[in-house]
Amino acid sequence: MMDTEEEDFKSRLAPDVTPNRQLPWLTGIELLSDTNQNKHFLPTGLEGIDALLGGGLRQGQVTEIAGPSSSGKTQVCLSSATHVVDRNFGMVLYLDTSNSFSPFRISCFVNQLHPSLPKELKETSLQTIMSNIYCQSVFDIFALLDLLHHVETTLKHTVKLGGSKLCLLIVDSVSSVIAPVIGGKNSQGWCMMASVGVLLKRIAYEHNIAVLVTNHMVGGENGTLKPALGESWKGIPHIRLLLSHGTGNNHGTTTVLKHTLMVSMHLDHHEIWSKWVVFFSVLEHSSVTGRVLYVAGDSFAYRTHASDTN
Amino acid sequence: MEISNLPISPSIRSKLLSKGYTSLSSLSSISPSFLAQELSVKLEEAVEVLRAVSDTTTSKSAHIPNGIIPGAVTAWDMLSEEQMQRHISTGCEDLDAILGGGIHCKEVTEVGGVPGIGKTQLGIQLAVNVQIPVEYGGLGGKAVYIDTEGSFMAERAYQIAEGCIYDILDKFPSNSREFLSCKERLQVNNFLAGIFYFRICSYTEQIAVINYLENFLTEHGDVKLVIIDSVTFHFRQDFDDLAQRTRVLGGLSLRLMKLSKMFNLAVVLLNQVTTKFTDGSFQLTLALGDSWSHSCTNRIILHWNGNERCAYIEKSPSVASASAPYLVTGKGIRGINSNFKRARIM
């Protein structure tokens, strides 16, 4: 594939795009190299959860943590905020809907990070880390949408001005502002939920930010619990984890509900694999000699097929 | 910030957009005369447009060093604020200790328990303790008591206030000069006058009171505690549509969160328990279901441990789960060891 051929291909496909607009077409190789170089994993500070996530919170993706009350969702958020700032990935913005952001708890996490440092260095590192975590309270969905729009606008300008850049956006919990508006006779609530979802994903993708949201549980059939916000929300986060606390002890368990790269524990295997099978089988077929145009929403993730053909 | 948000006249805006200037950056390096020629407008109008652009960009860049969005506070500033914050004592020292000093302001705390365990007693105790003057280690604020069941008794509040004043005078020597002036304020009638009482009889009244609270709290800026006893009572029987009940309660809890943050006060919600069938056995859980369980910042469960009353912290973002025993005495809520305290030698 030569560069001139690529340019021809691109120009033939997009004759109507104005010169100022950036062409959105990327080849698979460009996407893969962008993923490997730019989309880092942000640490949550909890090894088990990092392992389940495949390394940590992925930049450019929305991760959801669901769980019943006091299963540790806020603690995962606070721990992620601390570890991400400590490793100098950038700033963290914490949107808090239940006044659960605890600066005291963050200072406990910071003190656990480097226990062997002398006291003065610990003080300065505490101040540096905590000055890079911003917290804002949100109490209804309109304020949330407003804030997210503002964040998006500011990010477009910050890129040119430099300085410490936002790398992790936490919304704890997104379900408590969305749940009061969905359901009922009219569908405006569902539209607003979809707007929030699209906005979060766009902020994540365009500015290379990891987004972490928490969700609570509601009763399903047979008395079991299921994550709130219903079926329509399920498609919005890229990765969904379910926390549950162990009875009687402090140990909890985490389950992967949905992951773009891993097989989930609960979904039917056929459902996930069928998408990949169709895609790769077109590439492998010897009589197909053209290119494949994959129009992805946002869940296009990189996974090399097990049996590579040449 | 796009061209569409600039404060310029609509005709010039449409001309800009039709010529392809869609973002502020495209206008950043253009001279006024060139712009006037492009848009076929007068030179003064082009100057106005460019001035509006530069105003917007400079105000934006002035905001950015302060934070990614206006109103966001760094965790470091919040930490110093939090360390100066006083907490509301519950009367029981063990319980205060596991709570990290007492009930926190700016947070919503839910207290649940079986009938007869002492929830209303704890509510009245908190309404009295919030009024302890600052010189004696309290907040010196007033309380709002929203009663849904009718369990608030003024005589009991009188008793508890008397017990509280007695203990304060016992703890602090009364002949010290700086305490003489505030000692006059330690009258039981003052304490009772500092509790604003609302009696509500239906869920619509409850929703109305919570909506009205914002105005009330703006007028009475010294209120530091809002107690709702009990928040679930009217929502358990009359609601046919459970989904609507969940939505209404979700909206209520968000409003209470906002009030506690805005007015820097503590909100305490008292809740009843119900039985739930899980894992093959009946267990006691708080009423209103799983969807309500995330609507508070902290949760304390009061339960019987043999013959003893115990308080267990079930949910908190800043303190670990722990349990502490307490007593309900004639003077109010007290700890186990307070009976054995020696009288101070005057």
Side-chain angles (χ1 to χ4, degrees), chain A residues 20 69-70 74-75 78 91 93 95 97-107 123 126-127 130-131 133-140 147 150-151 153-158 160-161 166 173 175-177 179-184 216-219 225, chain B residues 1-2 20 22 24-25 57 60-61 63-79 82 106-108 246-248 250-251 254-261 276 278-279 290-291 293-297 299 314-319:
Chain A
N20 287 337
S69 175
S70 67
T74 305
Q75 299 303 308
L78 295 174
M91 277 174 12
L93 178 61
L95 299 180
T97 66
S98 53
N99 294 342
S100 315
F101 182 76
S102 164
F104 171 71
R105 191 73 184 118
I106 298 250
S107 65
E123 278 287 313
L126 181 71
Q127 181 170 5
M130 291 185 72
S131 306
I133 302 178
Y134 287 86
C135 177
Q136 171 71 303
S137 291
V138 190
F139 299 113
D140 59 80
L147 272 178
H150 203 125
V151 166
T153 320
T154 319
L155 280 173
K156 285 184 188 160
H157 287 256
T158 316
K160 296 171 194 143
L161 291 174
L166 182 68
S173 60
S175 51
S176 51
V177 291
V181 296
I182 56 178
H216 65 278
M217 306 290 272
V218 290
L225 290 179
Chain B
M1 184 70 167
E2 303 295 340
T22 47
L24 291 180
S25 50
T57 41
K60 269 274 166 266
S61 57
H63 275 145
I64 286 170
N66 292 344
I68 198 102
I69 44 176
V73 191
T74 64
W76 178 251
D77 296 331
M78 286 175 77
L79 183 68
E82 205 188 41
K106 285 193 187 174
E107 288 183 12
V108 174
T246 314
R247 284 198 300 278
V248 167
L254 283 175
R255 218 161 293 148
L256 290 170
M257 289 280 178
K258 188 174 178 185
L259 285 176
S260 78
K261 186 91 187 201
K276 186 164 116 167
T278 52
D279 302 329
D290 305 293
S291 42
S293 58
H294 72 288
S295 313
C296 58
T297 312
R299 188 176 305 122
E314 202 208 12
K315 173 181 177 183
S316 167
S318 50
V319 297

Side-chain angles (χ1 to χ4, degrees), chain B residues 39-276:
Chain B
L39 302 180
S40 345
V41 295
K42 288 191 273 211
L43 187 61
E44 296 84 25
E45 288 174 345
V47 167
E48 281 296 318
V49 168
L50 289 177
R51 188 176 306 141
V53 167
S54 66
D55 278 346
T56 342
T57 41
T58 45
S59 61
K60 269 274 166 266
S61 57
H63 275 145
I64 286 170
N66 292 344
I68 198 102
I69 44 176
V73 191
T74 64
W76 178 251
D77 296 331
M78 286 175 77
L79 183 68
S80 11
E81 260 181 55
E82 205 188 41
Q83 282 165 346
M84 295 193 304
Q85 186 83 259
R86 283 172 186 268
H87 303 143
I88 305 178
S89 163
T90 56
C92 165
E93 277 152 5
D94 294 330
L95 184 52
D96 284 344
I98 62 170
L99 280 172
I103 302 282
H104 297 260
C105 285
K106 285 193 187 174
E107 288 183 12
V108 174
T109 307
E110 187 180 349
V111 178
V114 291
I117 193 89
K119 300 188 297 294
T120 305
Q121 304 299 311
L122 182 60
I124 303 177
Q125 182 72 59
L126 289 171
V128 164
N129 282 359
V130 74
Q131 300 183 57
I132 297 176
V134 179
E135 295 86 354
Y136 293 109
L139 268 81
K142 302 211 172 128
V144 166
Y145 197 101
I146 300 177
D147 190 3
T148 64
E149 293 171 338
S151 42
F152 181 89
M153 291 189 302
E155 298 86 357
R156 181 66 178 138
Y158 192 92
Q159 253 189 339
I160 290 183
E162 260 186 342
C164 176
I165 294 176
Y166 184 83
D167 280 352
I168 293 177
L169 292 176
D170 195 40
K171 196 170 158 196
F172 290 91
S174 56
N175 49 8
S176 162
R177 196 162 299 168
E178 53 263 21
F179 289 126
L180 275 177
S181 57
C182 31
K183 200 178 136 194
E184 294 159 1
R185 282 187 266 136
L186 280 184
Q187 300 294 328
V188 184
N189 291 331
N190 289 346
F191 273 60
L192 287 185
I195 303 180
F196 297 106
Y197 179 78
F198 292 85
R199 172 77 170 101
I200 58 180
C201 308
S202 71
Y203 66 86
T204 38
E205 282 184 33
Q206 186 169 339
I207 299 171
V209 159
I210 294 177
N211 285 343
Y212 169 64
L213 264 183
E214 194 174 333
N215 284 348
F216 184 84
L217 293 171
T218 319
E219 282 171 36
H220 299 91
D222 45 1
V223 171
K224 288 281 177 229
L225 173 68
V226 173
I227 305 178
I228 306 187
D229 175 17
S230 62
V231 71
T232 56
F233 184 64
H234 292 295
F235 285 91
R236 294 184 74 186
Q237 42 253 38
D238 290 328
F239 257 93
D240 303 319
D241 186 357
L242 285 183
Q244 191 189 31
R245 186 182 84 170
T246 314
R247 284 198 300 278
V248 167
L249 285 170
L252 269 187
S253 74
L254 283 175
R255 218 161 293 148
L256 290 170
M257 289 280 178
K258 188 174 178 185
L259 285 176
S260 78
K261 186 91 187 201
M262 220 159 61
F263 294 102
N264 194 12
L265 45 86
V267 176
V268 175
L269 308 177
L270 305 178
N271 200 357
Q272 297 162 343
V273 290
T274 178
T275 51
K276 186 164 116 167

Side-chain angles (χ1 to χ4, degrees), chain B residues 1-28:
Chain B
M1 184 70 167
E2 303 295 340
I3 296 284
S4 46
N5 290 340
L6 271 185
I8 51 179
S9 77
S11 57
I12 298 189
R13 189 178 305 143
S14 57
K15 284 184 186 168
L16 277 172
L17 289 173
S18 66
K19 285 286 176 185
Y21 295 102
T22 47
S23 69
L24 291 180
S25 50
S26 54
L27 283 176
S28 55

